[in-house]
Amino acid sequence: TLVRQITGDNASHKVSYGTEAGQFQQVGYSAVVCGPGSIDQAHQPNEYIEVSQFNAGHDFMKTLLTRLSA
């Protein structure tokens, strides 16, 4: 809910890569996987993220910290 409030994205997304999130969910924790960039460029030779994506990730983290410390 917190991440959805910060990002404004209320959709559920499916991805074709693995994380440990499912293991956390199996034992009762909610898990959110998020980060800047596109999986299309990740884990490839010459992987990159756009500066705008980096800035959006930075802004997300600043907002998250502000919300958690309130």
Side-chain angles (χ1 to χ4, degrees):
T1 301
L2 177 59
V3 172
R4 288 179 177 197
Q5 289 172 352
I6 294 171
T7 65
D9 185 348
N10 290 316
S12 294
H13 303 278
K14 294 182 180 181
V15 295
S16 61
Y17 54 87
T19 73
E20 293 82 8
Q23 295 171 349
F24 291 109
Q25 289 177 323
Q26 285 178 343
V27 295
Y29 293 97
S30 295
V32 175
V33 178
C34 65
S38 168
I39 195 62
D40 295 334
Q41 288 93 32
H43 311 296
Q44 304 291 326
N46 300 317
E47 68 182 338
Y48 67 94
I49 64 171
E50 309 254 342
V51 171
S52 61
Q53 294 168 334
F54 178 87
N55 290 336
H58 183 256
D59 291 344
F60 171 82
M61 293 303 295
K62 286 192 321 186
T63 303
L64 179 61
L65 290 171
T66 299
R67 296 282 300 275
L68 292 175
S69 64

